Amino acid sequence: MIPRPNRGIAMTGAALALVTIGVYACQSGSTGGVGAGSMMAAAEAVYVPPGEYDEFYAFMSGGFSGNLTVMGLPSGRLLKQVPVFSQYPENGWGYSQETLAMLQTSHGFVPWDDAHHPELSMTDGVPDGRWIFINGNNTPRVARIDLNSFETTEILEIPNSAGNHGSPFITPNSDYLVASTRFSVPIPNRDMSIEEYRGNFKGTLSFVRANDPGNMEIAFQILMPGYDYDLAHAGKGPSDGWMFFTSYNSEEEHTLLEINASRRDKDFVAAVDYRRAEACIAEGAGRTMPARYTHNHMDETTQSAVSEMMTEVRVIEPTDCSDMVYFLPTPKSPHGVDVDPTGQYIVAGGKLATVIPVHSFDKMIAAIEAEDYEEVIDGIPVLTYESVIAGEVANAGLGPLHTEFDGRGYAYTTAFISSEIVKWEIGTWQVVDRIPVYYSVGHLMIPGGDSREPWGKYLVALNKITKDRYLPTGPELAHSAQLIDISGDQMRLLLDFPTQGEPHYAQGIAADLVMNDQTQFYALEDNEHPWVARSEGETRIVRDGNQVHVVMTSIRSHFTPDNIEGIRVGDEVYFHVTNLEQDWDVPHGLAMIGAETSELLIMPGQTRTLRWVPDAPGIYPFYCTDFCSALHQEMQGYARVSPRGSSVALRWGTGGTWNTN
Ligand code: K7E
Ligand code: CUA
């Protein structure tokens, strides 16, 4: 049983409600500062009736920023940017020596990606607050972010993939997340004419084991016809064990897709019975293919990333395993595919369709049993549309893309072209409400809105174009989110707020499921970094040829050592800084003049390393970048650099006492 957050309803004692709500009200938008919230409670407590107040984390993908953005709801305030696939100078992610390996790929160091879909881990079909995953679309990768530390702890590259868009949608107990290919290519990839696309270019649907931190691995890949696989969602309840993927370009075109891939009246939702795939593989179906892809993870004890090159992957084809994949015809160039909380209905957003088609899981199973097939493509039976469709939502707006659910029997679909959210009833397929959004909405998010138990109070519309909503900022205008109250019969716009990068999808979770289990600092005694100094007494400098390792500490408000001599031009200097603080929210920084990298931002108890190659003799100051105390400006030091071949001895100290080797 998942701990469900306290929604206030259970609190019958008025006194209890007042105390609790006082604290929560203050945290709206500043979640993460429990201490501050409690302190502010007395001053800012506002009475909110039990059951009326809810607070959420919203995790927005950063799109082309490659990051994940954390916001509070309903405040819409920015709490944090978590760097994932992109270097992030604010905290040294992808610059510090410890984090470089996280961005290693089979193509080398790739410091950027296009991240579209955050996906919370789930237990029993409900977000559980342990991790959030996100995809890298461009150089195909999936990442795990730990929600105790809000740090990326694992990145797995996906082989046999070109464009990891439909990812990382997760199964109800986080056993698998999936990665499907937006672009088909020859598999294995090889030199051939693009005109030979049809029949030679393939897509893959990867199933990645996700439930064991540090050990993400590809369980298997399903080799598919050369369509563009766009999005996915897992079944649940009756449809548990199935994964649904949209596809477009069933025309298998390779040029001018806007016309050529829009010709067919219907494309497909691919329904994959992944337990059937497991069974076939257990019986030896499929084959092991050579492949090169990286698995990177943060080693907790050394606090350093490790990158490992993987060499093979298990691939299975629908012809190897009957009853594993079916196609559900779906109008027209579908984008999102979303499964309702009961697990019975599979909703596809046909970008070019005039209706929203809703497939029935039970009807799909009956059609499979009756072998109600239109045709079979590469071993994949195509079920007849009439046999699987539960209903069509008419008058659903133009350009339907994505759907989420409120848990009270209603679905909400974004209409990109007509810029609106359309609310409709599951079962009657009738539109019951609609609200304009500003403008061109892509995804939408209801906290838990793709789970078995949505927190159906708020909806966030993620808009592509803002035009007149904010002060202009040159050629590029802010993307925007809009917060909509969906607790009543009619949707109500509450708030506009700008977002970072281009959020495609977002996920939300009740704050209680994340905020009560935060890493406050790293215990120094557990720090097994090879260059840790657990006290000032362990600081030292080690010369190894032209490599100079400065084993350094920081504590309010000095570095040890803060005076260093004996560095020479031609040296590579590594500042290994351990933050000795053992308290929450006391990072120290380190910046070095001329370093071709970013600052470090070192969390309490952590060790981070900055590389510096001085290019001329002289005196070089360094300083702490994070305003850590009243004497933060005093937190500085000097490194002396002597000419190449100089005989100036290595010595270091703080406070006038020099040490030597
Ligand atoms: Cu619709 Cu990449 Cu999920 Cu953008 S995708 S909107
Ligand atoms: Cu340490 Cu400022």
Side-chain angles (χ1 to χ4, degrees), residues 7 46 64 116 143 147 200 207 211 241 243 288 339 458 530 598 607:
R7 301 182 188 205
V46 178
F64 43 64
H116 284 215
L147 292 182
N200 286 315
F207 285 73
N211 220 348
M243 183 65 75
T288 299
V339 180
Y458 298 115
S598 75
T607 305

Side-chain angles (χ1 to χ4, degrees), residues 554-557 587-589 624-629 632-633 635:
S554 58
I555 195 162
R556 281 163 289 180
S557 297
H588 291 287
C624 171
T625 44
D626 188 306
F627 208 112
C628 50
S629 74
H632 154 81
Q633 286 298 89
M635 195 162 175

Side-chain angles (χ1 to χ4, degrees), residues 47 102 173 176 182 210 223 427 506-507 515 563 567 597 611:
Y47 180 69
M102 290 300 283
N173 284 301
Y176 294 117
R182 173 165 168 200
L223 199 61
Q507 290 248 287
M515 62 181 278
N563 280 197
I567 295 168
T597 181
R611 180 177 180 271

Side-chain angles (χ1 to χ4, degrees), residues 45-107:
V46 178
Y47 180 69
V48 184
E52 289 293 302
Y53 198 85
D54 261 347
E55 192 181 35
F56 302 92
Y57 284 93
F59 298 97
M60 310 250 182
S61 72
F64 43 64
S65 83
N67 298 339
L68 178 80
T69 306
V70 187
M71 288 172 149
L73 287 184
S75 73
R77 290 184 196 148
L78 174 67
L79 302 175
K80 189 179 174 74
Q81 289 236 37
V82 180
V84 184
F85 301 110
S86 296
Q87 285 177 299
Y88 193 59
E90 179 177 315
N91 65 4
W93 177 258
Y95 291 98
S96 66
Q97 297 296 306
E98 288 77 7
T99 56
L100 287 174
M102 290 300 283
L103 302 181
Q104 281 299 328
T105 73
S106 62
H107 306 274

